[in-house]
Amino acid sequence: MTIFIKGHSYGYELQRVAQMFCFGEKVQIREGVPPQDFTEAYLYADWDGITAKVTYYCPNGTEKKLLSNTRETLIEENLELTFGVQIFEILSAVTGLCPPWGVLTGIRPVKLFLKRIQEGKDQPALKEVFLKNRLLETSRFQLALQTAQIELPLLERSTKDSFSLYVSIPFCPSRCTYCSFVSHSVEQAVKLIPAYIDKLIEELAEIGQLAQQLKLKLRTIYFGGGTPTVLSADQLGRLMEAITKYFDLSDLWEYTIEAGRPDTITKEKLETIRKMGAGRISVNPQTLSDSVLQTVGRKHTASQCMECYRLAKELGFSVNMDLIAGLPTDTLEGFLHSVNGLIAAGPENITIHTLTVKRAAKLSAREAREQLDMVRNMVDNAKTDLEKAGYFPYYLYRQTGTLSSLENVGYGKPGTECLYNIYMMDETHSVFAAGAGACTRLRHPQTGKIQRIYNYKYPYEYLERFGDIKERKKQITAFFGTVL
Ligand code: SF4
């Protein structure tokens, strides 16, 4: 599929809308009028200053569809939105697909709801903005609204001088087949861990010093990965000790360590984590089916996950558990069995992900598309079961390439919501991030302007070019120096 554009520059935005209908095929953008001898399927989005018009031609040139709006009937007087809706409606009619988030393509739909709620929009006005003008399904409208309403009081807790800390441990003991995060040899990378920890501590020392100079208050800490518990108890202890040494933890509200894979969890590690001050961990079974675990390359069983969960509860942790909808060979029945197995265990949070299919993953787009309807059923039924059991959606994000444009949702028992997830997704305050692949997001306390500082993605780059990473930290002082 190609989109020809003329008289405007919304190619990228329109490509993202069209891409939701085109699995396994990249939508191309070209400027200008379609050539007469063009024989493939295309859309033509033309703005002549008076009329916004989208024309569709099917591959053999026999079918043609056209939608147009005049300047006076542009949706919300917004040309980009109008073109997006036209393309959505045409492709929906052509393919029979109806992506549930309508023309919203970003990863943070709840942020759009929060903005409108904070502007004072009531339910009828929100319905007009999202159901009528952006074509969301009612179920996604309600999900986003519910999530925003749960987030609001928690967002208000964050003060102008708050910040969070993210520590990246991008190592895993082996690679899961569906992983789009790690694309190089995990076994090779693991050898870099000792040197990586030394540098990470150096980076943390620098961030801690900056935060203290800027008089910022650390509210939440999150160790993510990869799998942070791939580190030994000693290594975890060293890192956490460095955090205690270099940061003032007296205003801390939450401290989470992802302990993703049970094959990396030991009693000794959990005791170290607890002793060093973390109160929340994430144990991620992904499914409670042993055969599905085997299919996706996980070298552990579901009962090992539950054993880790019991151990974590004995040590007094608040626990999140992740499941993934749409894993190969999983079924609707099997997935709901996993959901209800976790509900019966009763962790504070349960997060439902939809499988992300990206170029680096081993699953094909065709395989992904075949599961589309089933995955929608999985997440919709999971929501019903979770809500019946007292878990409510408190954070939500989407990823490009996610099956049928669905979403990942964190559910929590009221009062146990993970603050880091909410603040990070809403970009409520600055998140200082350390380690390979980490991205520091600075938020201007007055204007809300966001500035990002990226670290190198892979551990070997992080180690080799650590000097550059230290140099980039100067941007933090420059950013806050002008606003505090
Ligand atoms: S544990 Fe997560 S990051 Fe590690 S290989 Fe599996 S999916 Fe990828």
Side-chain angles (χ1 to χ4, degrees):
M1 166 76 70
T2 300
I3 306 179
F4 290 90
I5 59 167
K6 191 169 148 274
H8 61 94
S9 56
Y10 298 121
Y12 173 72
E13 293 79 4
L14 302 186
Q15 189 256 351
R16 282 166 62 92
V17 173
Q19 195 64 62
M20 291 192 287
F21 296 86
C22 304
F23 291 89
E25 174 199 2
K26 182 140 173 48
V27 174
Q28 308 292 330
I29 298 295
R30 283 174 59 175
E31 297 212 2
V33 182
Q36 284 198 336
D37 57 353
F38 198 79
T39 53
E40 293 161 24
Y42 71 82
L43 289 155
Y44 175 35
D46 175 27
W47 169 242
D48 60 8
I50 297 167
T51 308
K53 192 168 67 183
V54 171
T55 320
Y56 166 80
Y57 289 90
C58 90
N60 58 20
T62 54
E63 191 185 354
K64 182 176 164 181
K65 289 188 188 300
L66 187 145
L67 284 177
S68 69
N69 288 64
T70 58
R71 181 186 280 281
E72 292 70 33
T73 61
L74 291 183
I75 302 165
E76 295 179 10
E77 300 178 5
N78 182 330
L79 183 60
E80 176 197 334
L81 176 62
T82 304
F83 273 139
V85 167
Q86 290 173 343
I87 286 183
F88 187 99
E89 288 185 335
I90 286 176
L91 291 182
S92 216
V94 170
T95 62
L97 292 170
C98 199
W101 288 96
V103 297
L104 297 188
T105 55
I107 64 168
R108 297 180 168 88
V110 176
K111 217 174 156 178
L112 303 177
F113 278 72
L114 285 163
K115 181 170 172 274
R116 264 84 180 185
I117 294 170
Q118 282 156 348
E119 285 167 3
K121 287 211 176 346
D122 59 9
Q123 269 231 27
L126 291 171
K127 282 186 175 172
E128 166 139 355
V129 169
F130 292 104
L131 293 178
K132 183 166 169 269
N133 294 350
R134 286 168 181 76
L135 310 176
L136 266 69
E137 265 183 13
T138 306
S139 63
R140 265 57 199 177
F141 172 81
Q142 279 162 350
L143 173 63
L145 182 59
Q146 195 181 3
T147 308
Q149 282 163 342
I150 290 174
E151 284 186 4
L152 262 174
L154 302 171
L155 294 172
E156 281 162 8
R157 276 182 76 184
S158 172
T159 48
K160 282 195 189 319
D161 56 0
S162 296
F163 80 105
S164 288
L165 175 68
Y166 178 81
V167 182
S168 169
I169 311 292
F171 302 98
C172 290
S174 62
R175 186 174 172 212
C176 308
T177 56
Y178 57 83
C179 183
S180 59
F181 170 71
V182 180
S183 58
H184 56 287
S185 160
V186 284
E187 290 81 4
Q188 286 298 318
V190 162
K191 292 182 192 153
L192 302 175
I193 288 178
Y196 183 80
I197 291 190
D198 290 343
K199 289 294 177 212
L200 191 53
I201 289 177
E202 219 180 295
E203 193 185 3
L204 286 168
E206 182 142 349
I207 294 174
Q209 203 181 21
L210 279 170
Q212 299 215 11
Q213 279 166 8
L214 294 164
K215 298 192 172 45
L216 297 175
K217 290 186 173 143
L218 181 54
R219 302 301 194 184
T220 77
I221 302 175
Y222 196 98
F223 275 51
T227 308
T229 41
V230 77
L231 305 184
S232 68
D234 275 357
Q235 290 166 333
L236 283 165
R238 267 189 72 207
L239 270 180
M240 295 179 79
E241 203 171 83
I243 287 177
T244 311
K245 182 172 167 193
Y246 297 120
F247 292 84
D248 177 359
L249 303 188
S250 52
D251 295 300
L252 191 68
W253 293 333
E254 181 185 273
Y255 196 160
T256 303
I257 310 273
E258 268 188 26
R261 290 170 44 158
D263 46 352
T264 63
I265 300 175
T266 64
K267 190 167 183 216
E268 192 194 3
K269 290 183 197 180
L270 291 189
E271 282 172 346
T272 303
I273 291 170
R274 193 80 185 102
K275 193 175 79 198
M276 296 305 299
R280 182 176 184 273
I281 65 165
S282 190
V283 179
N284 303 331
Q286 315 301 22
T287 167
L288 294 185
S289 158
D290 287 341
S291 71
V292 176
L293 281 171
Q294 223 177 5
T295 308
V296 299
R298 287 247 176 176
K299 294 174 180 163
H300 60 80
T301 61
S303 66
Q304 277 175 282
C305 285
M306 301 317 281
E307 193 41 51
C308 291
Y309 168 70
R310 277 186 282 276
L311 191 56
K313 291 312 290 177
E314 269 171 37
L315 293 170
F317 283 104
S318 172
V319 179
N320 171 68
M321 300 183 93
D322 280 2
L323 291 176
I324 300 179
L327 287 174
T329 72
D330 205 1
T331 59
L332 175 60
E333 222 180 21
F335 180 71
L336 294 178
H337 173 76
S338 299
V339 172
N340 285 288
L342 294 196
I343 288 173
E348 282 73 11
N349 304 155
I350 296 176
T351 306
I352 306 290
H353 294 265
T354 42
L355 184 65
T356 300
V357 181
K358 288 189 177 162
R359 232 172 299 152
K362 288 180 184 169
L363 303 176
S364 75
R366 184 185 54 79
E367 285 170 316
R369 180 161 182 174
E370 283 167 6
Q371 295 181 62
L372 191 149
D373 286 342
M374 184 179 72
V375 177
R376 283 189 65 157
N377 268 335
M378 284 175 168
V379 293
D380 290 349
N381 280 288
K383 182 173 190 284
T384 307
D385 290 358
L386 284 159
E387 288 188 342
K388 264 192 224 149
Y391 291 87
F392 299 97
Y394 73 88
Y395 101 110
L396 181 163
Y397 68 99
R398 299 169 65 208
Q399 291 177 14
T400 314
T402 300
L403 271 180
S404 65
S405 310
L406 289 169
E407 61 285 326
N408 301 329
V409 182
Y411 290 88
K413 294 178 180 172
T416 68
E417 297 85 1
C418 172
L419 297 173
Y420 171 81
N421 283 337
I422 295 173
Y423 295 148
M424 181 267 302
M425 201 44 67
D426 178 68
E427 301 182 310
T428 317
H429 57 227
S430 295
V431 178
F432 291 179
C439 170
T440 291
R441 289 178 178 81
L442 304 176
R443 183 186 159 115
H444 190 298
Q446 273 88 42
T447 65
K449 182 184 162 222
I450 305 286
Q451 183 177 326
R452 295 186 168 85
I453 307 171
Y454 293 93
N455 280 1
Y456 291 108
K457 184 174 177 190
Y458 297 113
Y460 73 89
E461 291 172 293
Y462 177 79
L463 293 175
E464 281 170 12
R465 305 173 74 178
F466 191 70
D468 293 355
I469 285 174
K470 286 186 81 167
E471 190 61 28
R472 288 179 197 173
K473 290 281 175 292
K474 288 184 184 155
Q475 294 173 38
I476 297 180
T477 328
F479 183 86
F480 281 101
T482 60
V483 295
L484 281 182

